[in-house]
Amino acid sequence: QISRIKMSKKDSKKGETAQVNVVIRIRPLNGLEKRTGQVMAWGYRQNQVYLTAKPKSQRTKVSKFSDTFFTVDRVYPPSTTNEQIFEGVGMKMLDGVMNGFHGCIFAYGQTSSGKTFSIHGSQKHPGMVPQSIQYIFDYIQDHPGREYVLRVSYLEIYNEIINDLLNPSGTRLRIRESKQKGVFVDGLKEEVVMSCQQVLALIAAGESHRHIGRTNYNEVSSRSHTLFRVVVESSGKAKPGSKRKNRILTSTLNIVDLAGSENAVKAGSTKRIKETGYINKSLLTLGHVIFKLSEKGKGHIPYRNSKLTRVLQNSLSGRALVAIVCCMSPATSNIEETAQTLKFATRAKKIKNTVSANEKLDDATLLEKYREEIGQLKKDLLEAKKKAAEDQKNKVDKEELTKAQENIEDYKQRLEKLKRLILTSNKPPEQIVAAARRGSILGKGGDKMSSLRKKAKSFTLPRHFFMPDEAPDDIVNPMENPLGTSAPSSPPDTNHLKTPSADDFDFKPQFDSDDKVRKASADFAEMQRTIEDLKQKVQNKDGQLRKAMEEIKRLQREIVKRDTALREWEAFYQAQSNKEKAQEGRSVSPKSPKKSRRSSDLLESADADFDSPLVSY
């Protein structure tokens, strides 16, 4: 659904429903987990993850997940590269951003699960941020009919305090809200950028101010959440002499690198207990917000409970395309943390957003301001040239001529600077046509993607934060050591990884072949059909039981009705008997006691007959 984002103007105003794109990335076991005897505890296939290591102890919290399949859009195995993640998640998102849709990508997971590696990458394997930057500038080159203005910002949330990474003096920034901007960070520095190298240099400068630290999981662990934001303004090129203003598309791309949730005891970071508390609190609030958004009756959504959710409110509240990369550790020592990550992923998959292109016809946009300023500078430059020509013709002083020439040069420099800030394609038209014939920018063709990969490998990133070129011998995949640090000078505490061991689990077979997958799918379908048949039978029995209960109630009502009639007949018969006795008593003479006794006998026999149920009925 995210790929279907090119809409007509009529459709863009109405908006389109788009589900959150959720993928899971499984990292391989790292060297520390291998040395401590950990094994893979999770199995996976195309879009599902399931637990294969069932704890023998039934008292563990993860026992209930032993028969659960966590379903998302796609599952990336341990051998996946950052380029494949970008091709599957980032390219679709960026195509929407360049067409006026807001977008948000963030990585979620426990500490040491590969989030920072997926977002930033390494020297040889650039992540989501550098590849996205390169893609944006390549997109501009492939669309010569439009003009673009890009500005970027970079912030971190450390202990619930917002700091500007592009401006070291910008600390303790506040969050504001307005009708025009929505929720925004007041005082955050935005840099207008003109090239990919300039953006990467800003990121490298910002990373030097980010809070990092050492734990038992990582030599270099992120201790804060970071948000890299790109604002894109674009419109069609203005025709010469036309006074009509073009509509301007304004969109925002947020790429968030979340700090990982962690157990302070397992991480060995008791000195950083305050950091851990703030990190877990913000992630817990994010999980609560996702849970509320996934429900039908949403009710109150607690965006204000954390700075993280408050900053992301515009993206999470349904006005942006959202993609989540859930990074997970497959080791047996992290089953509980991984299960929580998978629960978060399945909840986020239920969220649906209504997105639309953001068009503006407003002088407040930066692109329109630059255009007006360029037009004014052109007029001023033309007047300065005319005045200089007149002064030269009138033979004024050399100082006046020099001053006029300096003004002309100043106007030219300012004009060139503004023109550089408005980005346009400088490719010849024939190259654009040839590129279109090879395939669109979203296609899976090798030419476009291979060129992106070649350019991505030439990125220059801060070496202190990522993997060195010489990887340890036991590392086969860069995801095994996401932050790329060498072995620590002193061995970390590994007691938390020695328990539980592989002997504490019963392992189920994984779906390692297509035949087993098909057989399991057929068995599952047969079980579903059996359940449906049983449900139908229960419904039929329930209908029969309901009819029987209605018949019993009808008979009970009939019994009450007949019992009432019987009592009325009994009263009537008693009244008739008393009347007959009274008449017989008056007609009998007092001198004949024998006859009187016979009458009483008759009355007694009549009473006896009345007591008989059959006669009374």
Side-chain angles (χ1 to χ4, degrees), residues 13 19 45 140 160 266 338 443 536 548:
K13 292 180 180 179
Q19 283 187 328
R45 45 185 178 180
I140 294 172
E160 289 297 296
K266 291 175 68 174
T338 300
Q536 188 64 34

CSV table of all heavy atoms in Angstrom, one decimal, residues 13 19 45 140 160 266 338 443 536 548:
chain,number,residue,atom,x,y,z
A,13,LYS,N,-6.4,15.0,-2.2
A,13,LYS,CA,-7.1,15.8,-1.2
A,13,LYS,C,-7.9,14.9,-0.3
A,13,LYS,O,-8.0,15.2,0.9
A,13,LYS,CB,-8.0,16.8,-2.0
A,13,LYS,CG,-7.2,17.8,-2.7
A,13,LYS,CD,-8.2,18.8,-3.4
A,13,LYS,CE,-7.4,19.9,-4.2
A,13,LYS,NZ,-8.3,20.8,-4.9
A,19,GLN,N,-1.4,1.1,5.5
A,19,GLN,CA,-1.0,0.4,6.7
A,19,GLN,C,0.4,0.7,7.1
A,19,GLN,O,1.2,1.0,6.2
A,19,GLN,CB,-1.2,-1.1,6.6
A,19,GLN,CG,-2.7,-1.5,6.8
A,19,GLN,CD,-2.8,-3.0,6.8
A,19,GLN,OE1,-2.0,-3.7,6.2
A,19,GLN,NE2,-3.8,-3.5,7.5
A,45,ARG,N,10.2,-17.7,8.5
A,45,ARG,CA,10.0,-17.9,7.0
A,45,ARG,C,9.7,-16.5,6.4
A,45,ARG,O,10.1,-15.5,7.0
A,45,ARG,CB,8.9,-18.9,6.8
A,45,ARG,CG,7.6,-18.7,7.6
A,45,ARG,CD,6.7,-19.9,7.4
A,45,ARG,NE,5.5,-19.8,8.2
A,45,ARG,CZ,4.5,-20.7,8.1
A,45,ARG,NH1,4.6,-21.7,7.3
A,45,ARG,NH2,3.5,-20.6,8.9
A,140,ILE,N,16.4,14.0,-7.4
A,140,ILE,CA,16.3,15.4,-8.0
A,140,ILE,C,17.0,15.5,-9.4
A,140,ILE,O,16.5,16.1,-10.3
A,140,ILE,CB,17.0,16.4,-7.0
A,140,ILE,CG1,16.2,16.5,-5.7
A,140,ILE,CG2,17.2,17.8,-7.6
A,140,ILE,CD1,16.9,17.2,-4.6
A,160,GLU,N,15.2,12.4,28.7
A,160,GLU,CA,14.0,13.3,28.6
A,160,GLU,C,14.4,14.7,28.4
A,160,GLU,O,13.6,15.6,28.7
A,160,GLU,CB,13.0,13.1,29.7
A,160,GLU,CG,12.3,11.8,29.8
A,160,GLU,CD,11.4,11.6,28.6
A,160,GLU,OE1,10.4,12.3,28.4
A,160,GLU,OE2,11.7,10.6,27.8
A,266,LYS,N,21.5,-7.1,33.6
A,266,LYS,CA,22.1,-7.9,32.5
A,266,LYS,C,23.1,-7.1,31.7
A,266,LYS,O,24.1,-7.6,31.3
A,266,LYS,CB,21.0,-8.5,31.6
A,266,LYS,CG,20.1,-9.5,32.3
A,266,LYS,CD,19.0,-9.9,31.3
A,266,LYS,CE,19.5,-10.7,30.1
A,266,LYS,NZ,18.4,-11.2,29.3
A,338,THR,N,13.1,-10.5,23.0
A,338,THR,CA,12.7,-10.6,21.6
A,338,THR,C,11.2,-10.8,21.5
A,338,THR,O,10.5,-10.3,20.6
A,338,THR,CB,13.4,-11.8,21.0
A,338,THR,OG1,14.8,-11.6,21.1
A,338,THR,CG2,13.0,-12.0,19.5
A,443,GLY,N,12.0,0.8,-9.7
A,443,GLY,CA,12.1,-0.5,-10.2
A,443,GLY,C,13.2,-1.4,-9.6
A,443,GLY,O,14.1,-0.9,-8.9
A,536,GLN,N,-19.8,-25.0,13.6
A,536,GLN,CA,-21.1,-25.2,13.0
A,536,GLN,C,-22.0,-26.2,13.7
A,536,GLN,O,-23.2,-26.0,13.9
A,536,GLN,CB,-21.0,-25.6,11.5
A,536,GLN,CG,-22.2,-25.6,10.7
A,536,GLN,CD,-22.8,-24.2,10.5
A,536,GLN,OE1,-22.1,-23.2,10.4
A,536,GLN,NE2,-24.1,-24.1,10.5
A,548,ALA,N,-35.9,-26.5,22.2
A,548,ALA,CA,-36.4,-27.3,23.3
A,548,ALA,C,-36.8,-26.5,24.5
A,548,ALA,O,-37.8,-26.7,25.1
A,548,ALA,CB,-35.4,-28.4,23.6
